[in-house]
Structure formats: structure tokens, C-alpha cells
């Protein structure tokens, strides 16, 4: 412990980013190194688990060294090691957790297991000038990424309720699949964003992700807060089958309409979810979408609630949110028997 500051080394390997970070006192990011594997997976149009975990094995030692080096600190200054233990790809999670156990054991440091989804919700708080989470409880939480789409009500970090989620594809997955259909490449979110420039978002009225059956929405889930994106992808596919030339002649219009349908599925649900809440707190790679950010900003102003968005570098998967969440008390003390939880629920 140095001068009362608590330093946490965070490790994140749940999907296709290898990342390590050093965060002081849960808020102050001293370093965050992220190595994206996107070039390795793009030929396949999605993440290949075997390639992902092997690449984590190769990259992680150097990335941890860089994170410590960039922070100007060494292992002796660390107070704990935090690692994502779920949800995510089992083989990828195993690489990060095994490494974190090795570091914790060899350096005599406590090991903290962190839920990746809770960490995404913590990502907007990685800035010392943002109010602390406790000042905003209860808030609504939105996580939109390549693997997850969920809405939570957060009374406190240990009192989170899942109120909405996707019943099929995640929002980022919808971007990725749409981009593949339009021949725009992977990852789809940025590709669709680029292609949509100058396009007409009203060119096609794609479905807005409504869930029509109560079958999937049990327990605390509310049907009007749940999402379904698979119909959107099907609708685009059928449209392209009927008008094969539109892929070339109307790329911008189709990309803009497709993106609009995803944004317009998310924003109104957030509007409902923030009722009775002080803020909407967001995280995940899809939050990089400028149209979604501005739609959420307008909604929050209209609803009279605060909107907390992560800085762009903390939207996608990163270890700063893992170290930060652990430093803020969201990590669970774990032993060397910490197991991975590929299907860990957000709450
Ligand atoms: O959070 P993330 O890095 O990884 C997961 O935990 O899944 O999110 C990746 C997802 C991908 O599906 C990607 O297409 C999407 O975030 N994404 C975007 C944008 N940038 C990345 N989606 C929409 N607009 C963007 N600008
Ligand atoms: Zn993620």
C-alpha cells in the first residue's frame, strides 16, 4: 500500500480483447492496455474461440508488463489482482483467470473475481469528475455489446435486478450480422456506421425489436423491456433477396435504416427503464455508436434524468473497468479454486 492509495491490477480476456490495466482507488486509471484480436477473427466474420484463447496466451504476459510499465509501477505497488471470471468464452476466461491466480499466488496478493457485465456498468465511473455511483442509486443500467443486451435496475451494487434482455441476438450481434449481409465486413457496428453516412434512416421501416410473447420474460424480466433482434436480420435478408441490386445501389440507405431500427429499439426501452430512477448508466461496445449516444442524450433530457456514458476507450472490453469495479468493491474475494462462469448472469 503506497500513501493510502489502493492499486488494483485488472485482467480481461473474456472474448476477443486481451487487456490489462492499473486503476487507483477504483476511479483513477493509471494505465489501460488493450490488444484487439479483430484482425485475426475478421476473415471468419465473428470470433473463433480457439483462436481467441491461443492469442490471449501469447499476448497477456506482455500486456500485463506494459500496463505496469505505463503506470510507472511494479508488482510490489499492487494491492490486489482482479480478473473477469464470466460471462464470456470459457477457454478465453480460463487464460485470464489462470494468469491472475499465478500473479496473486506468486506476489501474495488478494485475488478478486469480477462479473464482466457489472464492470461494463461501472465503466462510466472511470473518471474522477463523475459523481460516485452511490450518489446516483437507484439507476437504470444498460449494457449493449456484441454478446449482451440487458437492462437492469440498480438499487445498489449488491441489489441489481435484471428487468430486460434480448431473447435472441445481442444488439452488437445485430450490427455484425447486418453488416455481413450488406457485405460490409466485421466488426459490423463501425462498418454500418461508416456506410450509413448520408443514408436515409426512413428508407426501410425495419422491425423495432418488440418481444410479443411472455414466454421468454419470466421472473423479474418485463416484456416491454426485452429485445428481439433476430427478426431485423431476417427482414434485411429477405429484402435483399427481393432487391439484390439494393446492396450496391442503396447501401447507405439500408445501413442507415438498419442502424435506426437498432437505436430505436434501445432508446424507448431505456426511457421506460429510467422511470423512478435518477440516472441511466450505460456500457458496452455498441455505446460507441454516435447515433445511439445522441438518442440517449435526448431521451435523458426529456426524462429529466442524468445520463452516464463511458469514455470511448472504455466502451469496448477493457481491463480498466475490471480493476475499477474491483477497487470500488464490486469484486468477489476468490481463492485459487476460482472457476470460470461462461454464462454468469448480470445480477
Ligand atoms: O463490448 P464489446 O467490445 O465486446 C463484447 O463484450 O461483446 O462490443 C463489441 C460490439 C461488436 O458487436 C461491435 O459491432 C459493436 O460492439 N460496436 C458498435 C460500434 N463499435 C463497436 N456497434 C455500433 N456502433 C459502433 N460504432
Ligand atoms: Zn463486454
Amino acid at each position: 500500500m503506497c500513501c493510502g492509495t489502493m492499486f488494483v491490477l485488472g485482467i480481461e480476456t473474456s472474448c476477443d480483447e486481451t487487456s490489462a490495466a492499473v486503476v487507483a482507488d477504483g476511479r483513477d486509471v493509471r494505465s489501460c492496455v488493450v490488444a484487439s484480436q479483430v484482425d485475426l477473427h475478421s476473415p471468419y466474420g465473428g470470433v473463433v474461440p480457439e483462436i481467441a484463447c491461443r492469442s490471449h496466451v501469447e499476448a497477456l504476459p506482455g500486456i500485463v508488463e506494459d500496463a505496469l510499465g505505463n503506470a510507472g509501477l511494479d508488482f510490489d505497488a499492487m494491492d490486489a489482482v482482479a480478473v473477469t471470471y464470466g460471462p464470456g468464452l470459457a477457454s478465453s476466461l480460463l487464460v485470464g483467470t489462470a494468469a491472475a491466480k499465478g500473479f496473486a499466488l506468486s506476489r501474495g496478493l488478494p485475488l478478486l473475481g469480477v462479473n464482466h457485465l457489472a464492470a461494463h456498468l461501472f465503466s462510466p465511473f472511470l473518471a474522477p469528475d463523475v459523481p460516485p455511483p452511490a450518489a446516483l442509486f437507484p439507476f437504470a443500467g444498460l449494457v449493449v455489446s456484441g454478446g449482451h443486451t440487458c437492462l437492469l435496475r440498480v438499487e445498489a451494487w449488491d441489489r441489481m435486478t435484471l428487468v430486460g434482455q434480448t431473447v435472441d441476438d445481442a444488439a452488437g450481434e445485430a450490427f455484425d450480422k447486418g453488416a455481413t449481409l450488406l457485405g460490409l465486413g466485421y466488426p459490423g457496428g463501425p462498418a454500418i456506421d461508416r456506410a450509413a453516412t448520408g443514408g436515409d434512416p426512413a428508407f426501410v421501416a425495419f422491425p423495432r425489436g418488440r418481444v410479443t410473447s411472455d414466454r421468454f420474460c419470466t421472473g423479474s424480466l418485463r416484456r416491454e423491456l426485452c429485445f428481439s433482434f433476430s427478426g431485423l436480420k431476417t427482414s434485411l435478408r429477405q429484402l435483399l433477396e427481393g432487391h439484390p441490386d439494393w446492396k450496391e445501389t442503396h447501401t447507405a440507405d439500408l445501413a442507415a435504416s438498419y442502424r435506426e431500427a437498432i437505436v430505436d429499439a434501445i432508446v424507448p426501452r431505456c426511457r421506460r427503464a429510467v422511470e423512478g430512477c435518477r440516472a441511466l448508466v450505460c456500457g458496452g461496445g455498441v455505446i460507441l455508436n454516435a447515433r445511439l449516444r445522441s438518442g440517449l442524450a435526448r431521451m435523458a433530457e426529456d426524462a429529466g434524468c442524468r445520463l452516464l456514458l463511458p469514455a470511448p476507450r472504455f466502451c469496448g472490453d477493457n481491463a480498466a473497468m475490471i480493476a475499477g469495479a474491483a477497487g470500488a468493491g464490486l469484486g468477489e474475494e476468490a481463492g485459487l479454486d476460482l472457476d470460470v462462469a461462461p454464462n454468469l448472469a448480470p445480477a
Side-chain angles (χ1 to χ4, degrees):
M1 187 80 84
C2 160
C3 329
T5 304
M6 174 162 142
F7 290 109
V8 177
L9 170 70
I11 293 175
E12 158 65 42
T13 65
S14 67
C15 189
D16 61 342
E17 265 90 26
T18 315
S19 181
V22 175
V23 177
D25 295 329
R27 305 288 296 271
D28 181 3
V29 182
R30 297 296 176 90
S31 69
C32 180
V33 183
V34 182
S36 170
Q37 302 176 358
V38 71
D39 294 342
L40 296 176
H41 300 290
S42 62
Y44 305 95
V47 179
V48 183
E50 173 82 15
I51 294 176
C53 71
R54 283 171 186 259
S55 170
H56 288 311
V57 169
E58 278 170 23
L60 190 56
I63 291 204
V64 169
E65 215 169 281
D66 288 352
L68 290 168
N70 292 355
L73 296 165
D74 58 23
F75 258 116
D76 295 336
M78 295 301 113
D79 295 290
V81 180
V83 64
T84 306
Y85 72 102
L89 299 170
S91 50
S92 286
L93 291 164
L94 279 167
V95 178
T97 51
K101 287 176 195 179
F103 292 133
L105 181 67
S106 61
R107 306 285 166 163
L109 295 170
L111 176 67
L112 301 166
V114 176
N115 180 324
H116 181 86
L117 296 173
H120 267 305
L121 275 193
F122 187 78
S123 63
F125 296 103
L126 289 170
D129 52 330
V130 173
L136 298 176
F137 293 139
F139 61 74
L142 169 73
V143 180
V144 271
S145 71
H148 298 94
T149 297
C150 53
L151 275 165
L152 296 120
R153 185 178 166 90
V154 185
E155 307 275 344
W157 288 124
D158 58 357
R159 274 188 290 140
M160 294 209 269
T161 313
L162 183 66
V163 291
Q165 69 179 6
T166 180
V167 300
D168 40 56
D169 294 347
E173 202 177 349
F175 272 109
D176 296 338
K177 289 180 175 172
T180 302
L181 288 169
L182 288 167
L184 298 172
Y186 173 86
I192 288 194
D193 244 357
R194 278 191 301 275
T197 310
D200 176 8
F203 182 69
V204 183
F206 284 116
R208 260 53 179 169
R210 267 189 48 211
V211 176
T212 46
S213 160
D214 279 326
R215 192 154 55 98
F216 306 104
C217 306
T218 50
S220 57
L221 289 170
R222 291 164 52 193
R223 183 160 60 91
E224 72 279 14
L225 298 181
C226 287
F227 304 79
S228 169
F229 287 113
S230 66
L232 172 61
K233 163 198 70 192
T234 308
S235 166
L236 175 61
R237 189 170 33 93
Q238 288 171 345
L239 192 73
L240 290 172
E241 279 163 11
H243 306 271
D245 53 318
W246 281 10
K247 198 165 148 179
E248 270 79 43
T249 58
H250 287 284
T251 323
D253 294 330
L254 291 174
S257 300
Y258 193 85
R259 177 181 64 183
E260 197 65 7
I262 298 175
V263 171
D264 201 29
I266 297 171
V267 175
R269 284 169 180 74
C270 291
R271 177 76 177 85
R272 288 204 188 104
V274 294
E275 275 162 29
C277 291
R278 292 175 144 167
L280 174 67
V281 175
C282 305
V286 179
I287 297 291
L288 282 167
N289 195 281
R291 188 125 182 136
L292 177 60
R293 288 174 93 95
S294 58
L296 290 172
R298 267 196 307 278
M299 180 285 291
E301 204 182 319
D302 183 49
C305 72
R306 281 194 73 134
L307 175 66
L308 270 77
L309 301 174
R313 73 183 182 120
F314 300 136
C315 286
D317 288 347
N318 68 88
M321 68 183 190
I322 305 303
L330 264 91
E332 291 162 38
E333 276 187 52
L336 294 177
D337 58 351
L338 172 66
D339 200 0
V340 297
N343 298 317
L344 187 64

